[in-house]
Amino acid sequence: MISALDVPLDLSQPPTITQQSPKDYIVDPRENIVIQCEAKGKPPPSFSWTRNGTHFDIDKDELVTMKPNSGTLVVNIMNGGKAEAYEGVYQCTARNERGAAISNNIVIRPSRSPLWTKEKLEPNQVREGDSLVLHCRPPVGLPPPIIFWMDNAFQRLPQSERVSQGLNGDLYFSNVQPEDTREDYICYARFNHTQTIQQKQPISVKVFSMDSLNDTIAANLSDTDIYGAKPVTERPPILLTPTGTTSNKVELRGNVLLLECIAAGLPTPVIRWIKEGGELPANRTFFENFKKTLKIIDVSEADSGNYKCIARNILGSTHHVISVTVKAAPYWITAPRNLVLSPGEDGSLICRANGNPKPSISWLANGVPIAIAPEDPSRKVDGDTIIFSAVQERSSAVYQCNASNEYGYLLANAFVNVLAEPPRILTPANKLYQVILDSPALIDCAYFGSPKPEIEWFKGVKGSILRGNEYVFHDNGTLEIPVAQKDSTGTYTCVARNELGKIQNEVQLEVKDPTLIIKQPEYKVIQRYGHVSFECIIKHDSTLIPTVIWLKDNDELPDDERFLVGKDNLTIMNVTDKDDGTYTCIVNTTLDSVSASAVLTVVARPNPPFDLELTGQLERSIELSWIPGDENNSPITSFVIEYEDGLHEPGVWHYQTEVPGSQTTVQLKLSPYVNYSFRVIAVNEIGRSQPSEPSEQYLTKSANPDENPSNVQGIGSEPDNLVITWESLKGFQSNGPGLQYKVSWRQKDVDDEWTSVVVANVSKYIVSGTPTFVPYEIKVQALNDLGYAPEPSEVIGHSGEDLPMVAPGNVQVHVINSTLAKVHWDPVPLKSVRGHLQGYKVYYWKVQSLSRRSKRHIEKKILTFRGNKTFGMLPGLEPYSSYKLNVRVVNGKGEGPASPDKVFKTPEGVPSSPSFLKITNPTLDSLTLEWGSPTHPNGILISYILKFQPINNTHELGPLVEIRIPANESSLILKNLNYSTRYKFYFNAQTSVGSGSQITEEAVTIMDEGKMAMASRQVDIATQGWFIGLMCAVALLILILLIVCFIRRNKGGKYPVKEKEDAHADPEIQPMKEDDGTFGEYSDAEDHKPLKKGSRTPSDRTVKKEDSDDSLVDYGEGVNGQFNEDGSFIGQYSGKKEKEPAEGNESSEAPSPVNAMNSFV
């Protein structure tokens, strides 16, 4: 038995309906009617139709034709036919030798868009605050029209919580306002099927406000008239629709449930929805029409229940309960499926459906009720199931299952086809399947055969059969690998077999690496006219070719040259507001697709506010309101209000106030006699908007000045005058024309009358002939043509100052230490100051240094002590010096006379560091130190302290040696130092107070590396026992030879000793060669500073023999020898010395004592 498999079309099979028109088919009456009916089968089926239950003979109607090889009917309405004539119920039958399939009952109805009936519409006159319903009552059309309200200019009427359209098309006003007055409320009905719009006659609404009634017709109305001058009263909510407290609603399963509540009231009520005894279904519940409509999509029986809408305002609430019952047209639980059986097999067709009420099930065979259809002994009907046993070829037929209740029906065709066929595989051979790593792989093996073949899968040419949890085997032959891995790649073989044969097919599977976005675009906030770039860097399988597409708001990018698409990025130049949105990078290959999105927010300064309006005009205040401009994606944080005074400063705008960004009205305080205009500037994080257009002008009335001049002062500029100054009032502060100032003054603490003068256009007045520095009471009062400002407050001023007359007395100095002293003085009498006491100035200067007894240029220093202070500290003095000082009192005019000079001396201090320390003449064991005395001895020097210590190659310091040097010395030769050793020196001076800061230097004693090496080797040999014995033997041999020579000479023999002595002269008395007379520069590895060369040899570079008894140090660098650390001499006589290599790595070896002896032999 094969169920739900397509039978190849080359095999015999009953008809199958493949396409048909919908059950409820509404047609356009102006166009041809096409009723579809397509079917397949072998042999190809023939078609016939019924209309309203009887045979429809299309050959007798010239306007009706059937398409070739098809059952589709075409009714030629455009050639004179009328659609109404073909209204009815149609059913198609497709038939061949193996059975007959039938279509649904197709109900044909032409659409209708009737005109509105003529009616006389009376104007609606409504009191402000009352509710109102404008009825639409559209004509009944097929299908029902879409309703909307517009005005004469074809602009949709604005709707809100207060004004909205109901589901029936009526326009509801919860309460009317004066702005609702208009004469062009027009209801439109759009019939989509015919693409026509019908218009109702305009409806007029006139709203009467209480203010207008009071101003115009109050005199004509009595207290009992409905338009009496009563204020607009607030009212609790009442429901306009639905009426009553309860109602019922029936909806079919799968449809959209729409429940509506619209309420009247003032203030406008707010609607809330609840479900009694349950919750509103999540993800399927929506609120529309300002929450007046509850929408639940895809309703089911579980959505039945009571739904309550509650309308509420500040005065109360009302509610309505809608009882919802969800019914259901029949829907499939198990629809019958085509059945292919081999002769002798058993099978069954099952037809199960549900609904509310439960549907009835009926069976047909080849379009005929099964009860009257030809009998077939192999079938048995058991309610919703037909059971087949031992079928034969004649059992082939098409069966129809009909499930129906009062809300609809279901009709399904399912054939039984009896065939005997060996297996066949319908999937092409060697088909290549490609999948992405870790995704499912579905490898097809579409097959057919009767009896139904068994399917087996193998991997590889000689692989074993595939089994296990890692594979899923589908009934249609498909092999599923739920999570494909790299090792899933290979050849797969499908084998199909039944009792009539066997067949196999090979297919290929390749597993590819997934495409990844390794760098996704990121959220960007950019200012207008900036540049922005989104990255989208990908990684993909090398055998796949990716394509990258950029979308904006799920649509193609704008055709704009500002958008630059690169290999892995998108750049937008000169960003504008319209570029705001979501940008998506989509990467596609033939196998997968990945995407990543990022939002671009374009921010800018806000647009300027508009529609400025002035209301509530009063003498000293006014209300300003405005409408904010677009905030451009950056919330408005505040509004700045500025004003212009067109009367006093036209064209100049001044700051008035600032309010939060959530506020669009402000109460402004006004000044009299100002012609105001206002403008508003919006502010966000990006900046300030352009100013709004100015408001209308508002001129305030004149009044007395509200305030007097500020910052009134009285300060004399000369000893005999008083200058009175003030800050003039601004133009808008004058409060009226003729602004002047009344200036008044009198001497304080003297029983005098006020002296006054009135001035204009000035901010200063000078009173002459005053005593020197006396207090005055001063006041300045503003006045204009309407009168005086309030009485001003008095201020105290003083006439002009003069220089102080008296110097401070009893000046005392207390020396605290060598650099700090404290000075005291007695204050001068305040009367002698003759002005405002500002403080005292101390002048002090150094006369001479006590240590040097030399005068220098006198530089006076000044310290100022504010206020009535009588002492002060003098810092920064030089030790061991003589100073002078004096003190003077200071007022606003200047300084008074100086006190007598006071002399004081500072004690000794520690000296500064020596001015320099030089180290010269380095030798093998000595260094010469030279220094300069301290720049600032700060007393009498008593000595110098020298400390030094050696430093080894690891930078470790040796023992510290300290030497005290008399103060009159300026150099020192340090002897008995180690050769080739670095020393660090610390040097400072001392007074009786203590030691001053030290100066440090480093230096190195010198050495001849080559000779030192040889000397070291000689010392090593000379200390050996065998060498000493050898030397003794040689000395004895020489002594014997000398004795023999002496005897021979005495006997008259000749021996050329003189020549030998000349040839082997003492090297100490021979001229020294250039190479032997100097030492090369020595550079220590740690110090890299060259030491200066020095020599104590005579200028002719020779050493005389008679000088051999001098100190070895006198020879300096010219001595051809070296010394041990204890000062002992190690030398040799040499006939010749080779020049040292420049690098100092090698040296010519001088003759040893042994060689010297050999030269005599």
Side-chain angles (χ1 to χ4, degrees):
M1 179 180 70
I2 298 178
S3 178
L5 288 183
D6 285 340
V7 180
L9 283 177
D10 61 338
L11 297 178
S12 297
Q13 57 186 289
T16 300
I17 300 289
T18 58
Q19 191 173 1
Q20 57 183 316
S21 293
K23 294 178 181 179
D24 191 7
Y25 188 18
I26 300 175
V27 299
D28 189 335
R30 300 167 299 181
E31 298 179 354
N32 291 341
I33 301 174
V34 178
I35 311 175
Q36 290 185 326
C37 180
E38 303 291 341
K40 65 177 181 177
K42 180 71 172 182
S46 60
F47 298 89
S48 62
W49 285 86
T50 62
R51 177 182 174 188
N52 297 327
T54 61
H55 177 68
F56 181 36
D57 191 351
I58 61 175
D59 295 333
K60 294 182 178 180
D61 192 333
E62 59 183 10
L63 296 179
V64 180
T65 58
M66 184 183 294
K67 290 185 177 180
N69 303 317
S70 167
T72 298
L73 296 182
V74 178
V75 182
N76 199 340
I77 300 299
M78 300 180 69
N79 281 348
K82 291 186 178 181
E84 292 80 1
Y86 293 91
E87 193 169 353
V89 180
Y90 292 79
Q91 188 173 42
C92 170
T93 300
R95 186 185 308 274
N96 69 9
E97 62 189 28
R98 288 194 166 240
I102 60 175
S103 70
N104 292 321
N105 287 327
I106 303 171
V107 179
I108 302 295
R109 293 185 296 170
S111 64
R112 292 187 292 273
S113 53
L115 298 176
W116 243 292
T117 58
K118 294 290 184 179
E119 57 180 325
K120 184 178 181 181
L121 300 176
E122 296 292 336
N124 291 272
Q125 297 186 357
V126 195
R127 183 172 56 181
E128 181 182 358
D130 286 354
S131 62
L132 175 65
V133 180
L134 300 183
H135 297 287
C136 180
R137 299 191 183 98
V140 178
L142 186 67
I146 297 173
I147 306 300
F148 52 93
W149 290 80
M150 294 198 298
D151 58 16
N152 275 332
F154 296 101
Q155 298 298 315
R156 285 186 178 268
L157 296 175
Q159 298 191 22
S160 63
E161 288 184 341
R162 186 178 64 85
V163 182
S164 62
Q165 177 183 314
L167 294 176
N168 63 355
D170 292 347
L171 192 62
Y172 293 85
F173 294 76
S174 295
N175 53 79
V176 295
Q177 301 296 326
E179 60 264 26
D180 295 328
T181 297
R182 63 190 308 152
E183 297 181 351
D184 57 349
Y185 286 94
I186 305 174
C187 181
Y188 287 86
R190 183 174 66 211
F191 297 91
N192 283 346
H193 219 80
T194 58
Q195 296 295 311
T196 58
I197 296 177
Q198 304 292 348
Q199 172 185 335
K200 187 182 179 76
Q201 289 180 301
I203 302 174
S204 173
V205 174
K206 172 68 174 177
V207 179
F208 293 97
S209 68
M210 294 302 99
D211 290 341
S212 63
L213 286 174
N214 289 335
D215 293 340
T216 58
I217 63 172
N220 300 323
L221 298 174
S222 67
D223 292 340
T224 59
D225 288 330
I226 63 168
Y227 295 121
K230 298 179 182 178
V232 177
T233 57
E234 295 180 336
R235 297 186 310 282
I238 60 171
L239 286 174
L240 298 176
T241 184
T243 58
T245 59
T246 61
S247 60
N248 298 312
K249 172 81 172 181
V250 175
E251 190 57 78
L252 291 182
R253 178 182 183 272
N255 287 356
V256 176
L257 174 66
L258 293 174
L259 304 179
E260 179 181 58
C261 277
I262 301 178
L266 186 67
T268 303
V270 176
I271 305 296
R272 185 168 66 92
W273 291 90
I274 61 172
K275 182 180 181 183
E276 293 183 344
E279 298 290 333
L280 295 174
N283 302 324
R284 295 189 293 116
T285 301
F286 303 91
F287 298 100
E288 297 179 344
N289 198 19
F290 309 97
K291 292 193 174 180
K292 299 174 188 178
T293 301
L294 171 66
K295 177 180 178 181
I296 301 177
I297 63 174
D298 192 23
V299 294
S300 65
E301 289 87 341
D303 295 321
S304 297
N306 293 331
Y307 292 81
K308 179 189 285 188
C309 69
I310 303 169
R312 185 185 303 276
N313 67 9
I314 59 175
L315 298 182
S317 65
T318 187
H319 68 272
H320 184 93
V321 176
I322 306 174
S323 179
V324 174
T325 302
V326 178
K327 298 291 186 177
Y331 56 91
W332 290 119
I333 295 176
T334 305
R337 303 165 68 181
N338 291 337
L339 194 61
V340 178
L341 300 174
S342 62
E345 272 193 312
D346 300 336
S348 63
L349 291 177
I350 300 174
C351 177
R352 289 175 185 164
N354 202 357
N356 186 10
K358 187 168 184 66
S360 60
I361 304 294
S362 60
W363 288 96
L364 297 89
N366 295 325
V368 178
I370 201 164
I372 61 174
E375 289 189 6
D376 183 351
S378 65
R379 74 172 178 238
K380 177 184 177 182
V381 178
D382 183 9
D384 58 9
T385 304
I386 301 179
I387 301 172
F388 297 93
S389 303
V391 296
Q392 299 302 318
E393 186 175 352
R394 64 178 180 274
S395 300
S396 296
V398 181
Y399 292 88
Q400 290 82 34
C401 174
N402 185 298
S404 60
N405 65 11
E406 60 186 284
Y407 298 107
Y409 74 93
L410 293 174
L411 179 67
N413 290 278
F415 64 65
V416 175
N417 195 17
V418 180
L419 292 173
E421 286 290 327
R424 62 170 72 181
I425 293 179
L426 308 178
T427 299
N430 293 315
K431 183 176 180 179
L432 175 62
Y433 292 88
Q434 294 178 326
V435 297
I436 295 296
L437 180 70
D438 293 330
S439 63
L442 296 173
I443 308 174
D444 292 334
C445 182
Y447 66 91
F448 185 81
S450 184
K452 181 181 178 180
E454 293 182 0
I455 302 297
E456 293 177 332
W457 280 95
F458 300 84
K459 183 179 180 185
V461 178
K462 297 182 180 180
S464 59
I465 187 169
L466 296 181
R467 292 189 178 89
N469 295 331
E470 64 266 31
Y471 301 103
V472 178
F473 302 95
H474 293 272
D475 290 340
N476 63 355
T478 297
L479 170 66
E480 178 181 354
I481 306 174
V483 182
Q485 300 297 314
K486 284 290 188 179
D487 58 5
S488 302
T489 299
T491 301
Y492 289 81
T493 303
C494 164
V495 177
R497 60 165 58 90
N498 67 9
E499 61 189 38
L500 300 178
K502 168 186 171 184
I503 192 171
Q504 69 179 38
N505 187 37
E506 292 182 355
V507 293
Q508 308 296 322
L509 175 64
E510 292 181 356
V511 180
K512 306 290 187 179
D513 289 325
T515 304
L516 302 174
I517 299 178
I518 58 176
K519 177 99 173 156
Q520 298 186 355
E522 297 177 347
Y523 173 71
K524 297 292 179 78
V525 177
I526 191 71
Q527 290 192 31
R528 188 186 294 164
Y529 308 126
H531 302 340
V532 67
S533 182
F534 292 105
E535 286 188 294
C536 185
I537 300 176
I538 63 173
K539 179 182 178 183
H540 61 91
D541 191 284
S542 59
T543 62
L544 301 177
I545 300 176
T547 58
V548 179
I549 302 172
W550 286 91
L551 301 180
K552 178 182 182 296
D553 297 329
N554 294 322
D555 204 350
E556 292 183 358
L557 291 178
D559 186 12
D560 191 329
E561 61 184 11
R562 297 181 302 107
F563 288 77
L564 306 176
V565 178
K567 177 184 177 182
D568 51 15
N569 60 29
L570 167 66
T571 301
I572 308 173
M573 313 293 290
N574 299 320
V575 172
T576 63
D577 293 338
K578 65 182 181 180
D579 299 331
D580 197 276
T582 300
Y583 289 84
T584 303
C585 165
I586 301 177
V587 185
N588 292 319
T589 68
T590 54
L591 299 182
D592 63 348
S593 177
V594 291
S595 65
S597 298
V599 174
L600 172 63
T601 300
V602 181
V603 296
R605 297 183 299 170
N607 291 350
F610 56 94
D611 281 358
L612 273 64
E613 184 178 5
L614 297 176
T615 55
Q617 291 89 341
L618 300 174
E619 289 188 2
R620 293 297 182 99
S621 69
I622 198 169
E623 185 176 272
L624 172 66
S625 61
W626 62 91
I627 298 176
D630 194 333
E631 63 184 17
N632 292 324
N633 291 323
S634 180
I636 295 174
T637 57
S638 63
F639 292 100
V640 176
I641 292 87
E642 297 180 339
Y643 72 90
E644 176 197 30
D645 182 1
L647 193 62
H648 302 98
E649 293 180 293
V652 180
W653 289 90
H654 300 276
Y655 173 85
Q656 172 89 10
T657 187
E658 188 168 353
V659 298
S662 59
Q663 189 172 326
T664 57
T665 61
V666 64
Q667 194 77 21
L668 301 174
K669 294 182 179 180
L670 306 179
S671 296
Y673 194 54
V674 177
N675 193 13
Y676 282 100
S677 288
F678 299 97
R679 68 183 187 184
V680 183
I681 298 171
V683 182
N684 65 9
E685 287 187 357
I686 309 305
R688 295 161 62 104
S689 72
Q690 293 295 319
S692 67
E693 292 295 323
S695 70
E696 58 182 313
Q697 291 186 332
Y698 179 63
L699 177 63
T700 55
K701 297 179 181 179
S702 301
N704 293 9
D706 292 324
E707 52 190 304
N708 288 300
S710 60
N711 198 22
V712 177
Q713 294 181 339
I715 304 174
S717 60
E718 298 295 338
D720 60 349
N721 75 5
L722 172 65
V723 179
I724 302 173
T725 59
W726 61 91
E727 286 188 12
S728 300
L729 298 180
K730 304 288 185 183
F732 72 90
Q733 294 175 309
S734 66
N735 286 7
L739 177 64
Q740 299 180 86
Y741 303 100
K742 180 183 178 182
V743 185
S744 303
W745 69 92
R746 69 180 178 185
Q747 190 171 338
K748 191 175 184 296
D749 300 329
V750 177
D751 193 14
D752 281 350
E753 296 292 329
W754 287 94
T755 303
S756 300
V757 63
V758 176
V759 296
N761 300 321
V762 294
S763 59
K764 180 173 70 173
Y765 184 78
I766 301 176
V767 180
S768 303
T770 63
T772 300
F773 196 68
V774 294
Y776 279 85
E777 294 176 315
I778 304 167
K779 58 184 180 180
V780 180
Q781 186 177 25
L783 66 151
N784 62 17
D785 291 350
L786 280 77
Y788 285 88
E791 184 66 22
S793 58
E794 300 172 5
V795 298
I796 303 300
H798 289 80
S799 56
E801 299 180 71
D802 207 346
L803 293 176
M805 297 186 296
V806 178
N810 192 25
V811 177
Q812 300 292 329
V813 179
H814 172 59
V815 178
I816 298 174
N817 57 39
S818 61
T819 61
L820 180 66
K822 185 175 184 180
V823 58
H824 294 262
W825 62 88
D826 291 341
V828 300
L830 289 179
K831 287 187 178 181
S832 69
V833 177
R834 299 201 295 178
H836 295 285
L837 176 63
Q838 294 188 355
Y840 293 87
K841 285 187 178 181
V842 177
Y843 286 75
Y844 65 101
W845 61 95
K846 180 180 175 182
V847 178
Q848 66 178 15
S849 172
L850 298 178
S851 61
R852 297 183 178 177
R853 302 296 180 183
S854 59
K855 293 186 178 181
R856 63 176 186 176
H857 172 69
I858 296 176
E859 179 183 353
K860 290 189 176 182
K861 297 181 180 179
I862 304 172
L863 287 178
T864 301
F865 301 93
R866 299 290 179 185
N868 200 20
K869 205 169 184 182
T870 59
F871 67 91
M873 307 299 290
L874 305 180
L877 302 177
E878 294 186 15
Y880 205 51
S881 300
S882 176
Y883 280 87
K884 287 184 179 181
L885 67 77
N886 58 52
V887 185
R888 311 176 193 196
V889 67
V890 183
N891 66 10
K893 190 73 173 179
E895 301 176 3
S899 67
D901 290 350
K902 187 74 175 179
V903 178
F904 65 97
K905 297 178 180 179
T906 56
E908 285 189 84
V910 297
S912 64
S913 62
S915 57
F916 68 88
L917 175 63
K918 292 194 301 182
I919 303 175
T920 61
N921 298 331
T923 67
L924 293 174
D925 65 346
S926 68
L927 293 168
T928 300
L929 279 66
E930 298 176 358
W931 61 85
S933 59
T935 306
H936 301 286
N938 295 337
I940 299 174
L941 297 181
I942 60 174
S943 65
Y944 292 101
I945 302 298
L946 172 65
K947 299 177 183 179
F948 65 95
Q949 58 191 147
I951 307 173
N952 64 14
N953 291 335
T954 60
H955 306 289
E956 295 177 349
L957 297 174
L960 187 67
V961 179
E962 180 176 328
I963 301 175
R964 186 178 295 272
I965 304 169
N968 58 350
E969 295 291 338
S970 62
S971 65
L972 175 68
I973 299 175
L974 280 181
K975 301 180 180 180
N976 297 326
L977 303 177
N978 296 335
Y979 63 83
S980 185
T981 302
R982 178 179 294 277
Y983 288 90
K984 186 166 186 178
F985 298 91
Y986 314 88
F987 195 68
N988 59 4
Q990 276 190 329
T991 64
S992 60
V993 176
S995 299
S997 56
Q998 64 184 11
I999 184 171
T1000 64
E1001 280 291 342
E1002 293 186 12
V1004 182
T1005 55
I1006 66 173
M1007 68 171 287
D1008 185 327
E1009 293 184 5
K1011 294 182 178 180
M1012 188 63 192
M1014 178 57 68
S1016 298
R1017 288 195 296 271
Q1018 291 174 352
V1019 169
D1020 292 339
I1021 297 173
T1023 58
Q1024 302 298 316
W1026 65 269
F1027 182 74
I1028 295 173
L1030 178 62
M1031 288 298 102
C1032 292
V1034 171
L1036 180 61
L1037 180 60
I1038 292 173
L1039 181 60
I1040 295 172
L1041 289 174
L1042 289 175
I1043 294 171
V1044 171
C1045 290
F1046 180 77
I1047 295 172
R1048 289 187 62 184
R1049 186 170 182 176
N1050 289 337
K1051 291 183 177 181
K1054 295 183 179 180
Y1055 187 77
V1057 176
K1058 182 71 170 65
E1059 291 79 3
K1060 291 183 180 289
E1061 289 178 351
D1062 292 340
H1064 300 281
D1066 190 338
E1068 291 189 12
I1069 61 174
Q1070 290 188 2
M1072 300 185 70
K1073 293 187 178 181
E1074 187 67 28
D1075 292 340
D1076 298 331
T1078 61
F1079 279 93
E1081 292 183 352
Y1082 175 80
S1083 176
D1084 188 82
E1086 301 297 328
D1087 185 7
H1088 301 293
K1089 295 187 291 185
L1091 299 176
K1092 293 183 179 180
K1093 293 187 291 184
S1095 175
R1096 298 200 176 212
T1097 59
S1099 61
D1100 61 358
R1101 312 212 36 96
T1102 62
V1103 179
K1104 297 181 179 180
K1105 188 172 179 63
E1106 52 267 34
D1107 295 334
S1108 61
D1109 294 332
D1110 292 343
S1111 170
L1112 294 176
V1113 176
D1114 294 337
Y1115 289 98
E1117 298 175 351
V1119 177
N1120 190 8
Q1122 297 181 3
F1123 300 87
N1124 283 334
E1125 293 183 8
D1126 61 357
S1128 61
F1129 177 71
I1130 302 173
Q1132 67 267 357
Y1133 293 94
S1134 173
K1136 185 177 181 181
K1137 179 179 182 294
E1138 294 296 327
K1139 187 174 182 180
E1140 293 182 6
E1143 296 298 326
N1145 293 327
E1146 298 177 358
S1147 62
S1148 299
E1149 184 175 350
S1152 69
V1154 177
N1155 294 334
M1157 292 298 106
N1158 291 338
S1159 65
F1160 286 97
V1161 180

